[in-house]
Amino acid sequence: MKPGFILVDIKDLPVEPGWLFRQAGPVIAIGPDVSTSVAANADVILPDQEAAASLIENIEQFPVAALVLVQVLRATEGMDIHSGLKVESLAYSMLQTSLEYQRWLRARKDPPQHIVGNDQAILIEREGDIVRATLNRPENRNSLTVEMRDALIELFQLVDIDDSISRLELRGAGSCFCVGGELREFGLSNDASQAHSIRSSHNPSALMAAISQRTHCFLHSACLGSGIELPAFAGKLTATRKAFFQLPELSFGLIPGAGGCISIARRIGRHRTSWMVLSGKKINAETALEWGLVDEIVE
């Protein structure tokens, strides 16, 4: 039996505290955004059923990933960042064993492979107390490979232990900031529990959160998946006017696994985060600024 969803008129949504936690799958409320007590019992609030159509289609195609997403967002809403990251990682690891994710893996043409560049994954320069770092895989649109992840961990650890660094500025070389996880590497690990173990001790998101008040990310063009999940931990996010943002993980049978269930939800709220993942739709820089996903737009 597939897990389902609840579609309800917002005026009929229960106001009983904790009602949402007793529901399994997504609760989609239709109508104007209302009081906090009512909104607390919805995962997504949409203006009409037409706006819900694409979400419902995606939920029906990936029902397990959709269920896990909303449950993680509900559970982590009041958690501290590091506890929330552990819950996200456990859920993500479990989904890596799911039929939905395995179906996506089998549909790919090529087997998984490690992607390694010929020079430094991140270029780093220091001027006084400011460190400027640039993701340096423009040929791969700065996708987050294992190599890039490890380089980010080293960078963030350096900033964390060096109190003489007042600010870290992070940019991406080439046509965009980052298109997210390197899909060609998905499926390399057959041990989901080991993947969780690695994330527990080698997690760039946790390190970014620790240095957030000293970190300023400059985003341009495509910022997909981990390409916005990770920067969302930064104390300040600046985006160009043509930047756009998307969380496509549901279409792989997964949820955001680079900290997005925590970082993005803390910036734009649980309802909008659910919508971004369940719909898979892009938002532009103006919407991101209005929602609080970014802090400033520059030309």
Side-chain angles (χ1 to χ4, degrees), residues 100-250:
E100 294 171 7
Y101 176 63
Q102 296 301 318
R103 181 181 67 204
W104 176 81
L105 285 178
R106 290 193 300 269
R108 296 188 306 178
K109 295 180 180 179
D110 300 316
Q113 57 181 306
H114 279 293
I115 305 299
V116 180
N118 295 321
D119 51 5
Q120 289 179 274
I122 300 178
L123 300 177
I124 301 174
E125 61 179 23
R126 179 165 181 169
E127 182 179 343
D129 59 352
I130 298 173
V131 171
R132 296 187 176 93
T134 304
L135 306 182
N136 189 38
R137 288 292 179 265
E139 69 276 14
N140 298 329
R141 304 181 74 196
N142 297 320
S143 59
L144 191 65
T145 60
V146 172
E147 176 193 40
M148 182 73 80
R149 180 203 65 193
D150 291 345
L152 283 169
I153 287 173
E154 290 183 5
L155 170 64
F156 297 156
Q157 286 175 334
L158 169 66
V159 176
D160 189 32
I161 65 175
D162 191 342
D163 293 335
S164 69
I165 298 173
S166 68
R167 186 167 76 249
L168 167 65
E169 297 180 355
L170 185 62
R171 296 172 171 82
S175 63
C176 68
F177 177 76
C178 176
V179 293
E182 174 52 71
L183 300 185
R184 291 173 291 179
E185 291 189 340
F186 280 36
L188 280 171
S189 173
N190 295 318
D191 188 338
S193 61
Q194 180 65 19
H196 170 66
S197 177
I198 292 171
R199 280 191 296 271
S200 295
S201 57
H202 294 79
N203 192 335
S205 298
L207 291 167
M208 168 76 92
I211 60 171
S212 62
Q213 295 310 307
R214 291 189 284 158
T215 305
H216 186 175
C217 293
F218 297 83
L219 312 180
H220 71 285
S221 192
C223 304
L224 314 182
S226 55
I228 181 57
E229 297 171 49
L230 187 59
F233 281 109
K236 185 171 184 180
L237 282 184
T238 298
T240 62
R241 197 163 295 280
K242 292 185 178 180
F244 61 92
F245 310 90
Q246 185 181 20
L247 297 175
E249 288 89 348
L250 192 76

